[in-house]
Amino acid sequence: MTHATLRMTRSIRSPRWVALLACSLAAACAGQDPAGNVNGSGGTSTGPGTGGAAAQAGADTQGGAGGADTSSTGLGGTNAGGSATGGAGVGGSTGCVDTCPFANGITWQCKKRFFYGLNQAWINFAGDFGGGTRGIAANTSRVGTLFQDYSNNGASVIRWWVWPNFTGGGVAFTGNSATGLKSTTLADLEALMKLADQYNLHLQLTLFSFDNFKTTTNPNLAAIATDAAARAAIVANAIRPLARAAQASAYAKRVISWDVINEPEWAVSGAGANGDQAFTPDTTCTTITQPQMATLLKDVVAGLRAESQALITIGNSAMKWKNAWMAVDQDFYTFHIYDWVQQYWPYNTSPAGYGVSAKPVVMGEFPPAGFNNGAITYATIMSSWYSNGYAGGLPWQDSSMVINFASFKAFADQHPCETRY
């Protein structure tokens, strides 16, 4: 069964601490948030008001507000500028002030936005990162044409898959043990980031997919996930070097988030977590248990946190398994929804209605033509999510699911600031 066919079937189917700012007689102490989700605020004083430091760089890149001060400059938080009465907000890294925040959105580089874009996913399945002549660096003209079109039509975020399996050759292995990155992997990463910068786009890079667990693939992620040494090796020799290179790039800000794995539930068997229904895995996959998958995800997240300031999420296949990865450290939640999901977990129920409102919720895949053969239109879906507590939406596209860019652009044009980072 081809990957496109499987999707058609489905449609029927270590936080980092920021140092405490010193107090002085001239500046009131700022608040601190151990979870990194809320910024501290500067005190009110006759001297400079100092903004609170964001405790976790990856979780919230906007610094605290500068203190009220009629004579001095308010100092912003660690990651981005604050604001002050009578003085300019001075940023720790960007010095920006958000002029059109979206209340339920995802914050990146001092901008809180509705996470709007689309799935490109790949141009050469499994070969885009490390595939040599199949890789991004050898196909920049093709990708550039796509990116220009996406940007012109109002996209801000592009979801792109890195290693949906390891057949592309971008990771070197000895048996099941990853030994390093090879071929054009880092050149492909840099090329994609540079193109994103050129066309003012941001990247959500999806590291793995349930496809990595297909029984016919080798190395198989199931064997890696259930072997502590193999897990450590892939984190140390593949995940961390990739994340390190992205962070060191001149285009680092273009990687807005890491999506650890696409739809891991299809490779999980056994009981669901915390009241979820039992898993119904893809029969072509070698399956593991929910605790084993959670261990793999936690190890990968720890590696990403050590090297990158980008946000982190997991591409959950359906609200059906909403609790599966709640214990994994994520900055926002991602769920996918197709007609088989929509029948029982409808699109117009809010995140709070599903009990997943502790963090922002992005709908990371859905059919671009809408639900029920278009009876529920793209415009209706996006309008509902925008007004009903969701943080964003990224329609899927492949040979069987084609985006109508007139509808896509119309939504962006209705919200020109809130949908663009």
Side-chain angles (χ1 to χ4, degrees), residues 269-358:
S269 58
N274 300 317
D276 284 350
Q277 295 183 27
F279 293 97
T280 55
D282 184 323
T283 58
T284 66
C285 290
T286 300
T287 63
I288 60 178
T289 66
Q290 187 275 338
Q292 288 171 330
M293 182 68 81
T295 296
L296 171 67
L297 301 183
K298 289 176 182 179
D299 286 356
V300 172
V301 168
L304 292 171
R305 294 286 191 211
E307 303 289 354
S308 173
Q309 293 183 10
L311 308 176
I312 294 176
T313 190
I314 295 167
N316 191 308
S317 61
M319 198 64 74
K320 175 179 182 178
W321 296 297
K322 64 181 182 179
N323 294 308
W325 320 118
M326 289 293 185
V328 180
D329 177 23
Q330 302 172 67
D331 297 301
F332 60 95
Y333 302 133
T334 296
F335 293 92
H336 301 172
I337 180 170
Y338 291 91
D339 278 352
W340 72 270
V341 184
Q342 152 68 17
Q343 296 177 59
Y344 306 101
W345 295 271
Y347 76 97
N348 55 0
T349 298
S350 69
Y354 285 123
V356 291
S357 57

Side-chain angles (χ1 to χ4, degrees), residues 3 7 10-11 13 117-122 159 161 204 206 208-211 259 261-263 266 315-318 334-341 362-368 371 381 385 392-398 401:
H3 196 274
R7 286 202 170 277
R10 251 188 259 150
S11 66
R13 63 150 170 122
L118 52 86
N119 284 267
Q120 172 58 43
W122 63 81
R159 182 172 179 251
W161 296 13
Q204 177 169 285
T206 302
F208 305 127
S209 175
F210 71 92
D211 301 87
D259 179 4
I261 185 170
N262 171 69
E263 303 187 350
W266 301 123
N316 191 308
S317 61
T334 296
F335 293 92
H336 301 172
I337 180 170
Y338 291 91
D339 278 352
W340 72 270
V341 184
V362 170
M363 302 309 284
E365 284 187 25
F366 64 98
F371 300 122
I381 296 166
W385 288 343
L394 307 173
W396 180 258
Q397 61 171 335
D398 59 22
M401 297 187 187

Side-chain angles (χ1 to χ4, degrees), residues 49 65 111 116 312 365 421:
K111 296 179 180 178
Y116 191 57
I312 294 176
E365 284 187 25
Y421 284 97

Side-chain angles (χ1 to χ4, degrees), residues 21-407:
L21 299 177
C23 297
S24 69
L25 293 176
C29 289
Q32 297 292 321
D33 173 30
N37 296 319
V38 181
N39 296 314
S41 298
T44 301
S45 69
T46 56
T50 302
Q56 184 177 332
D60 188 347
T61 58
Q62 184 174 355
D69 184 357
T70 57
S71 60
S72 301
T73 299
L75 300 180
T78 301
N79 297 309
S83 59
T85 302
V90 180
S93 63
T94 63
C96 63
V97 176
D98 195 352
T99 57
C100 58
F102 178 71
N104 300 305
I106 306 297
T107 301
W108 181 245
Q109 296 290 311
C110 194
K111 296 179 180 178
K112 191 172 187 179
R113 298 288 181 267
F114 188 82
F115 201 81
Y116 191 57
L118 52 86
N119 284 267
Q120 172 58 43
W122 63 81
I123 56 170
N124 288 304
F125 187 79
D128 290 342
F129 294 83
T133 58
R134 300 174 69 235
I136 301 294
N139 293 278
T140 54
S141 178
R142 180 179 176 185
V143 177
T145 298
L146 291 171
F147 275 12
Q148 183 173 43
D149 189 34
Y150 297 161
S151 184
N152 289 346
N153 280 287
S156 187
V157 179
I158 308 298
R159 182 172 179 251
W160 201 296
W161 296 13
V162 180
W163 298 307
N165 65 40
F166 297 118
T167 61
V171 180
F173 284 91
T174 298
N176 290 322
S177 181
T179 58
L181 301 178
K182 66 175 187 176
S183 187
T184 57
T185 297
L186 294 185
D188 293 330
L189 173 65
E190 181 72 4
L192 190 65
M193 295 171 67
K194 183 177 181 180
L195 286 166
D197 188 74
Q198 181 178 346
Y199 294 103
N200 191 27
L201 295 168
H202 291 77
L203 300 168
Q204 177 169 285
L205 296 178
T206 302
L207 292 171
F208 305 127
S209 175
F210 71 92
D211 301 87
N212 289 89
F213 292 81
K214 293 294 183 72
T215 303
T216 56
T217 65
N218 184 38
N220 192 292
L221 199 52
I224 295 170
T226 53
D227 183 317
R231 286 198 313 275
I234 200 165
V235 170
N237 299 325
I239 301 303
R240 290 188 64 168
L242 188 78
R244 188 182 308 129
Q247 189 64 41
S249 172
Y251 311 109
K253 69 180 182 179
R254 294 298 166 181
V255 178
I256 192 171
S257 66
W258 301 101
D259 179 4
V260 179
I261 185 170
N262 171 69
E263 303 187 350
E265 299 79 19
W266 301 123
V268 178
S269 58
N274 300 317
D276 284 350
Q277 295 183 27
F279 293 97
T280 55
D282 184 323
T283 58
T284 66
C285 290
T286 300
T287 63
I288 60 178
T289 66
Q290 187 275 338
Q292 288 171 330
M293 182 68 81
T295 296
L296 171 67
L297 301 183
K298 289 176 182 179
D299 286 356
V300 172
V301 168
L304 292 171
R305 294 286 191 211
E307 303 289 354
S308 173
Q309 293 183 10
L311 308 176
I312 294 176
T313 190
I314 295 167
N316 191 308
S317 61
M319 198 64 74
K320 175 179 182 178
W321 296 297
K322 64 181 182 179
N323 294 308
W325 320 118
M326 289 293 185
V328 180
D329 177 23
Q330 302 172 67
D331 297 301
F332 60 95
Y333 302 133
T334 296
F335 293 92
H336 301 172
I337 180 170
Y338 291 91
D339 278 352
W340 72 270
V341 184
Q342 152 68 17
Q343 296 177 59
Y344 306 101
W345 295 271
Y347 76 97
N348 55 0
T349 298
S350 69
Y354 285 123
V356 291
S357 57
K359 294 180 181 179
V361 175
V362 170
M363 302 309 284
E365 284 187 25
F366 64 98
F371 300 122
N372 301 341
N373 296 316
I376 302 173
T377 67
Y378 180 89
T380 299
I381 296 166
M382 294 309 304
S383 177
S384 175
W385 288 343
Y386 187 87
S387 61
N388 205 22
Y390 286 87
L394 307 173
W396 180 258
Q397 61 171 335
D398 59 22
S399 59
S400 67
M401 297 187 187
V402 180
I403 293 177
N404 180 332
F405 277 106
S407 298

